[in-house]
């Protein structure tokens, strides 16, 4: 595959950002890694920037001449709005706006299963289902998906949103038998986002799991071929469920049940 000129990785000091760095460094001439947390270059073609996404002047400099952004910065779980707004909404607005101004071709971004976490587990989801966020966090991801589609269709900044399940070396509970993704498969999905031809896509970030809620047809069509599967863990994890009937009912699990107060639903 041809080398990409310049990729900017946001959230590079984070759990997923760190696991993506080696593959991204190998796929481009120049990798600019960005995080609000301290980070140092780890590859010969890397430059590190310790900046907050909300610092527009610094962001503008980092994005100058970049071909693609791989966006993994953000607050990765439920929180109050004063935490989620700057990290997942305001910073994201600035990122898309500055990327557009800088002429960036595409943004590959981490959305989440929690953007659709209030769908029941027996409902398979395609890429076109309307969002049903299960939390303020999930709603912040829905905002990002909407922002990406606005900039993709109206302004030509391609958007590739990955509704990631749970990324870890191994699945550790029964819910993950459906939505787990191995870090190597996530790297492969990001690579599809970097190389495929599309305008505005939402795909699902899961390995090849027999129990998946997401057929993920569009990702496969674009070239995603996951090499890992949670199926080998079915026996081991089958009893590994919560004692929470609301969490067990919804795809979003404990994010859906956290603060759940809809009496009509619980009585059904
Ligand atoms: N870990 C998962 O399985 C999973 C699943 C679904 C979605 N995601 C999404 O993937 C992304 C990365 O998740 P993670 O598990 O690596 O989280 P993480 O918390 O380990 O990493 C996120 C990084 O973003 C940085 N960051 C936050 N706000 C910032 C800001 N305003 N400016 C600059 N940097 C900022 C943090 O310093 C951190 O290093 C998040 O958007 C998360 O919502 C993760």
């Amino acid at each position: 595959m041809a080398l990409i000129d310049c990729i900017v990785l946001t959230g590079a000091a984070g759990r997923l950002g760190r696991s993506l760095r080696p593959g991204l460094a190998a796929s481009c001439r120049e990798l600019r890694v960005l995080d609000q947390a301290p980070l140092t270059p780890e590859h010969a073609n890397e430059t590190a920037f310790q900046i907050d996404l909300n610092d527009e002047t610094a962001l503008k400099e980092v994005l100058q001449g970049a071909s693609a952004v791989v966006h993994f910065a953000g607050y990765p779980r439920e929180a109050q709005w004063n935490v989620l707004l700057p990290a997942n909404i305001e910073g994201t607005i600035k990122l898309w706006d500055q990327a557009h101004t800088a002429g960036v071709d595409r943004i590959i971004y981490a959305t989440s299963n929690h953007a659709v976490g209030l769908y029941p587990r027996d409902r398979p989801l395609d890429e076109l289902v309307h969002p049903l966020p299960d939390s303020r966090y999930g709603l912040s991801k829905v905002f990002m998906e909407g922002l990406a589609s606005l900039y993709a269709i109206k302004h030509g900044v391609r958007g590739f949103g990955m509704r990631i399940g749970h990324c870890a070396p191994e699945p550790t509970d029964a819910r993950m038998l459906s939505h787990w993704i191995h870090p190597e498969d996530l790297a492969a999905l990001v690579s599809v986002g970097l190389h495929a031809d599309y305008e505005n896509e939402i795909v699902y970030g899961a390995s090849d799991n027999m129990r998946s809620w997401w057929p993920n047809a569009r990702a496969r069509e674009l070239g995603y071929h996951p090499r890992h599967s949670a199926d080998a863990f079915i026996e081991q994890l089958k009893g590994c469920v919560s004692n929470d009937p609301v969490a067990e009912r919804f795809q979003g699990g404990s994010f859906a049940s956290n603060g759940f107060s809809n009496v009509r639903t619980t009585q059904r």
Side-chain angles (χ1 to χ4, degrees):
M1 244 181 273
L3 281 183
I4 296 165
D5 272 342
C6 174
I7 298 175
V8 173
L9 170 64
T10 76
R15 204 162 65 81
L16 301 191
R18 281 197 310 274
S19 82
L20 290 169
R21 273 169 82 169
L24 290 177
S27 68
C28 65
R29 294 195 174 80
E30 183 189 359
L31 178 62
R32 299 177 189 164
V33 292
L34 175 168
D35 205 293
Q36 65 186 6
L39 73 178
T40 46
E42 288 173 3
H43 304 91
N45 60 348
E46 263 187 17
T47 318
F49 297 85
Q50 187 182 353
I51 66 159
D52 188 314
L53 283 180
N54 288 291
D55 179 346
E56 279 182 289
T57 310
L59 194 55
K60 189 174 186 163
E61 207 173 296
V62 179
L63 293 170
Q64 205 60 46
S67 337
V69 174
V70 176
H71 177 45
F72 275 75
Y75 195 80
R77 63 191 76 87
E78 181 62 324
Q80 295 300 323
W81 281 119
N82 63 343
V83 174
L84 290 167
L85 278 173
N88 291 9
I89 295 193
E90 290 161 0
T92 304
I93 293 172
K94 286 167 188 149
L95 177 68
W96 257 265
D97 197 34
Q98 291 298 333
H100 170 47
T101 305
V104 168
D105 176 63
R106 59 185 68 201
I107 303 180
I108 293 88
Y109 60 98
T111 172
S112 166
N113 66 95
H114 296 292
V116 287
L118 283 185
Y119 279 101
R121 294 193 187 186
D122 58 5
R123 165 83 194 269
L125 304 184
D126 66 18
E127 297 75 11
L128 298 177
V129 292
H130 69 81
L132 280 186
D134 58 23
S135 50
R136 287 179 290 272
Y137 165 71
L139 184 53
S140 74
K141 295 297 186 181
V142 174
F143 176 84
M144 183 160 58
E145 293 178 3
L147 184 74
S149 62
L150 174 68
Y151 276 81
I153 297 163
K154 193 163 180 179
H155 303 299
V157 183
R158 298 177 205 245
F160 189 81
M162 300 165 291
R163 285 185 181 152
I164 301 169
H166 183 86
C167 184
E170 283 188 3
T172 50
D173 64 31
R175 179 168 165 259
M176 289 186 208
L177 295 171
S178 301
H179 79 328
W180 171 76
I181 182 167
H182 189 281
E184 285 174 7
D185 287 339
L186 180 63
L189 189 59
V190 168
S191 177
V192 169
L194 284 167
H195 294 98
D197 185 19
Y198 57 84
E199 182 178 54
N200 178 46
E201 299 288 347
I202 293 290
V203 297
Y204 290 89
S207 285
D208 191 14
N209 309 327
M210 192 164 68
R211 297 195 174 181
S212 179
W213 307 307
W214 316 316
N216 221 4
R218 183 62 181 144
R220 288 170 201 273
E221 203 175 288
L222 288 169
Y224 175 53
H225 303 296
R227 292 178 41 234
H228 296 269
S229 169
D231 300 355
F233 296 84
I234 288 177
E235 268 309 298
Q236 184 186 323
L237 295 175
K238 68 180 174 202
C240 201
V241 294
S242 70
N243 292 321
D244 178 344
V246 178
E248 292 303 315
R249 176 173 177 168
F250 292 109
Q251 295 192 7
S254 62
F255 279 57
S257 70
N258 176 19
F260 197 91
S261 62
N262 183 346
V263 182
R264 282 195 307 279
T265 304
T266 43
Q267 284 170 348
R268 247 178 247 152

